[in-house]
Amino acid sequence: MTTGAPTSPNTARRRRSRLRRYLPLGLAAWLVLEIWLLTLVAGAAGGLTVFLLLVAGLVAGSVVIKRAGRRAFASLNEAMRQGGSPARGGGNGLMMLGGLLLMIPGLVSDAAGLLLLLPPVQRAVGRLAENALERSLRRVAPGSLGDVFQQARMHRPDGKVVPGEVIRDDGPHDTPQGPRPPLTR
């Protein structure tokens, strides 16, 4: 399907990003490490201990996600009641990510999930993610989806938005110049 927009010859063959190249390898290494650690712990402490650890991680993760979700919903309700915008996350997203990591079976993911529950780690990871997002938004190409987000973030000096429409006058056309009938469904 074509949109009629001209494409440059450089966009026809894009280079794969590092993330797309190394993500499958990283996931495979992470899975092998998780399985190796689980078998190591099972050999030392027993299979029942590993099973109880995995169930405890699942329960703790679900409790954390439920609690963070309630807190995010309460924050949203409070902001709506006061007529403002909700606070900037408040760490709820990272807390939910920590709960999700606790729910994923494995010891490395449990350790990462527990680390994300600590407020200093949440602040540091939040700053890193915000800076990475800012850098990626500064590098977007015009006309791309990222450009839409960049344009949506632009602020006017007085903070006002003036609605309007663009009228293009290229000269006489074959369309009638009289009033148009109303649009119906």
Side-chain angles (χ1 to χ4, degrees), residues 18-176:
R18 287 184 189 171
L19 179 68
R20 286 186 60 197
R21 183 180 302 154
Y22 295 121
L23 184 65
L25 181 62
L27 284 174
W30 173 66
L31 285 173
V32 168
L33 178 66
E34 290 281 17
I35 292 170
W36 178 72
L37 280 176
L38 286 174
T39 56
L40 194 68
V41 171
L48 182 64
T49 304
V50 170
F51 177 73
L52 291 176
L53 277 173
L54 294 176
V55 170
L58 180 70
V59 170
S62 63
V63 167
V64 166
I65 287 177
K66 185 176 181 179
R67 186 173 173 197
R70 282 186 180 165
R71 202 162 53 180
F73 189 69
S75 171
L76 179 65
N77 277 339
E78 183 65 29
M80 292 301 204
R81 221 182 341 237
Q82 293 177 355
S85 64
R88 296 193 51 180
N92 293 325
L94 291 174
M95 189 171 274
M96 286 183 186
L97 179 62
L100 179 67
L101 286 172
L102 280 172
M103 290 177 73
I104 294 174
L107 300 176
V108 175
S109 62
D110 287 350
L114 287 173
L115 279 175
L116 275 178
L117 297 181
L118 300 174
V121 175
Q122 286 180 357
R123 284 190 296 270
V125 169
R127 276 194 309 269
L128 285 173
E130 189 175 336
N131 290 339
L133 182 65
E134 286 290 326
R135 277 193 310 271
S136 68
L137 284 178
R138 273 189 244 124
R139 289 183 295 174
V140 295
S144 67
L145 182 62
D147 186 40
V148 171
F149 291 118
Q150 180 69 26
Q151 290 175 7
R153 293 177 55 247
M154 289 181 187
H155 300 287
R156 301 283 182 238
D158 58 355
K160 295 180 183 176
V161 176
V162 179
E165 66 181 62
V166 176
I167 300 174
R168 186 174 172 178
D169 187 19
D170 289 340
H173 297 286
D174 293 335
T175 58

